[in-house]
């Protein structure tokens, strides 16, 4: 099953840009198809792989940078930009 995900991260700290940049870089290194935008990042791939990457990346973010709010929209199907 293919997933399309729109993910936003809001670090709860004054210096919020670096945690976001690092998060996007980590997602891009995952091997999934990733498109970063100004307000969210879109992630595309097979269900099991996407969910594992999301779980691992959010855990890494909490352990590395502390508290953040994540907002994810997850849809079954291929919604990649064409």
């Amino acid at each position: 099953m293919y997933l399309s995900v729109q993910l936003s991260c809001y670090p709860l700290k004054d210096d919020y840009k670096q945690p976001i940049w690092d998060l996007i870089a980590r997602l891009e290194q995952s091997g999934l198809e990733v498109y970063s935008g100004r307000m969210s990042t879109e992630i595309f791939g097979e269900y099991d792989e996407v969910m594992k990457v999301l779980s691992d990346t959010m855990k890494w973010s909490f352990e590395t940078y502390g508290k953040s709010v994540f907002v994810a929209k997850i849809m079954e199907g291929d919604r990649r930009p064409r």
Side-chain angles (χ1 to χ4, degrees), residues 27-62:
L27 288 169
E28 290 173 340
Q29 294 170 2
S30 72
L32 295 173
E33 198 166 340
V34 175
Y35 299 93
S36 59
R38 295 185 60 99
M39 295 296 293
S40 66
T41 298
E42 295 178 313
I43 306 153
F44 305 94
E46 291 299 321
Y47 180 93
D48 290 335
E49 188 177 356
V50 170
M51 296 307 283
K52 180 173 180 1
V53 167
L54 286 177
S55 177
D56 292 347
T57 302
M58 287 188 296
K59 182 178 180 182
W60 166 85
S61 176
F62 292 137

Side-chain angles (χ1 to χ4, degrees), residues 17-27 57 60 64-65:
K17 289 182 182 179
Q18 191 63 50
I20 293 171
W21 293 333
D22 291 347
L23 180 97
I24 292 169
R26 189 173 177 94
L27 288 169
T57 302
W60 166 85
T64 304
Y65 291 109

